[in-house]
């Protein structure tokens, strides 16, 4: 049976999954790599959308408001150092090149890019991150150079996103394989499957991951957030595995 038919049947047929335990382990591992791609897509698509949005927002902001930038030994000067703010989407972009601490009126902002004299502060769901400027000799950048820099960033963006996809995919592979391996070991505690070799239990667990992976993919693409997604992912896998072992041929 080809890999696509296996994928289809493993969505709804525990009886068919029980037969996959007899195939070579290489085919099972290849199937897990395919599931990892599906598991990667929701998070990656969401990140790509956010990255492109912020790159476009920042480029428009710089083109419209920045005439010159200079950096001298870790201190920033923008135009004539007059503070200004812009709201773009969920983020507030605030430029305070005379200040070294965030103005009090910005402290309650959940999403913000705050450009200060000595550092950049980014506020988001992960909290507040500080990025001090490098201590370079005085260098002034004019608007034409800013435009060229923005253009080069946009040209490099596809390469950056491809590299980012592989990082996301690597993380998904690690997660999927850890879940499959741990559950395959733990299923040795099941009375009905403890007599089976690890290879066969690993195969049945791997194909039991198909349904929760597809559910995770659909929820992510539809922007539906539910609590305890990882726990639910594992519970659905265990449920499919339990139904699968009930379809094993009885021992004579």
């Amino acid at each position: 049976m080809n890999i696509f038919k296996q994928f289809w049947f493993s969505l709804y047929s525990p009886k068919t999954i029980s037969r996959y335990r007899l195939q070579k382990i290489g085919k099972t591992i290849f199937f897990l790599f395919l599931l990892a791609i599906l598991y990667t897509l929701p998070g990656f698509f969401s990140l790509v959308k956010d990255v492109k949005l912020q790159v476009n927002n920042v480029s428009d902001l710089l083109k419209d408001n920045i005439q010159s930038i200079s950096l001298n030994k870790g201190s920033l000067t923008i135009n004539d150092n007059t503070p200004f703010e812009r709201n773009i989407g969920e983020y507030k972009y605030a430029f305070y090149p005379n200040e070294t601490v965030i103005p009090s009126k910005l402290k309650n902002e959940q999403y913000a890019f705050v450009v200060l004299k000595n550092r950049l502060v980014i506020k988001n769901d992960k909290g507040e991150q500080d990025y001090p400027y490098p201590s370079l000799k005085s260098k002034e950048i004019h608007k034409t150079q800013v435009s060229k820099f923005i253009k080069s960033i946009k040209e490099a963006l596809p390469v950056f996103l491809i590299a980012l996809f592989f990082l996301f995919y690597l993380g998904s592979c690690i997660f999927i394989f850890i879940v499959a391996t741990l559950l395959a070991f733990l299923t040795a505690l099941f009375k009905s499957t403890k007599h089976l070799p690890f290879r066969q239990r690993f195969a049945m667990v791997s194909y039991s991951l198909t349904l929760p992976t597809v559910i995770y993919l659909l929820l992510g693409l539809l922007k539906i957030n539910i609590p305890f997604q990882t726990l639910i992912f594992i519970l659905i896998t265990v449920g499919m595995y339990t139904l699968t072992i009930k379809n094993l041929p009885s021992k004579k």
Side-chain angles (χ1 to χ4, degrees), residues 19 52 58 69 80 91 94 117 135 150 237 251:
R19 297 171 185 163
K52 286 184 175 180
V58 172
I69 302 173
D80 59 355
Y91 278 84
K117 181 177 182 178
S135 296
I150 292 170
T237 303
K251 293 189 295 183

Side-chain angles (χ1 to χ4, degrees), residues 8-231:
W8 176 251
F9 284 118
S10 59
L11 283 172
Y12 68 90
S13 177
K15 184 176 182 180
T16 307
I17 291 176
S18 68
R19 297 171 185 163
Y20 298 157
R21 75 188 189 280
L22 302 175
Q23 70 180 13
K24 293 181 180 179
I25 194 168
K27 193 170 185 178
T28 302
I29 291 173
F30 179 68
F31 186 80
L32 286 179
F33 279 121
L34 292 180
L35 287 185
I37 292 176
L38 298 182
Y39 193 85
T40 301
L41 294 179
F44 178 71
F45 285 157
S46 178
L47 183 66
V48 167
K49 182 180 178 181
D50 289 342
V51 167
K52 286 184 175 180
L53 177 63
Q54 294 308 321
V55 167
N56 290 330
N57 287 346
V58 172
S59 64
D60 292 342
L61 184 68
L62 293 177
K63 286 178 181 178
D64 295 340
N65 298 279
I66 305 298
Q67 301 301 322
S68 65
I69 302 173
S70 66
L71 184 63
N72 184 19
K73 297 181 180 179
S75 294
L76 186 71
T77 302
I78 300 176
N79 300 335
D80 59 355
N81 274 359
T82 302
F84 64 92
E85 298 178 4
R86 297 290 184 275
N87 291 312
I88 304 177
E90 294 182 334
Y91 278 84
K92 178 182 283 293
Y93 293 84
F95 292 77
Y96 287 85
N98 287 321
E99 306 290 340
T100 56
V101 296
I102 297 178
S104 57
K105 66 178 181 178
L106 296 175
K107 289 186 177 179
N108 293 327
E109 294 288 344
Q110 185 177 3
Y111 301 99
F113 282 79
V114 186
V115 178
L116 301 173
K117 181 177 182 178
N118 59 341
R119 60 197 172 109
L120 168 67
V121 180
I122 299 176
K123 300 181 70 175
N124 53 29
D125 291 331
K126 297 179 181 178
E128 189 174 297
Q129 297 93 43
D130 281 4
Y131 300 95
Y133 305 134
S135 296
L136 302 175
K137 291 183 179 180
S138 180
K139 181 176 179 61
E140 188 170 353
I141 303 172
H142 295 283
K143 189 168 184 176
T144 55
Q145 293 170 296
V146 171
S147 298
K148 288 180 181 178
F149 174 73
I150 292 170
K151 184 179 179 181
S152 64
I153 291 294
K154 288 185 174 181
E155 289 174 349
L157 192 58
V159 177
F160 170 75
L161 292 176
I162 290 171
L164 207 58
F165 173 80
F166 283 106
L167 285 176
F168 267 63
Y169 179 59
L170 177 62
S172 296
C173 286
I174 292 172
F175 172 74
I176 290 287
F177 276 88
I178 286 176
V179 170
T181 302
L182 286 178
L183 290 180
F185 275 116
L186 292 174
T187 52
L189 302 174
F190 285 46
K191 183 178 179 181
S192 53
T193 57
K194 66 181 181 179
H195 65 285
L196 295 176
F198 172 80
R199 177 178 63 82
Q200 293 187 18
R201 298 198 309 274
F202 180 78
M204 290 192 295
V205 169
S206 297
Y207 286 94
S208 297
L209 285 165
T210 307
L211 180 60
T213 299
V214 171
I215 292 174
Y216 176 82
L217 171 66
L218 294 176
L219 290 176
L221 295 179
L222 296 174
K223 305 293 183 182
I224 300 174
N225 293 317
I226 57 174
F228 310 110
Q229 284 192 5
T230 302
L231 178 60

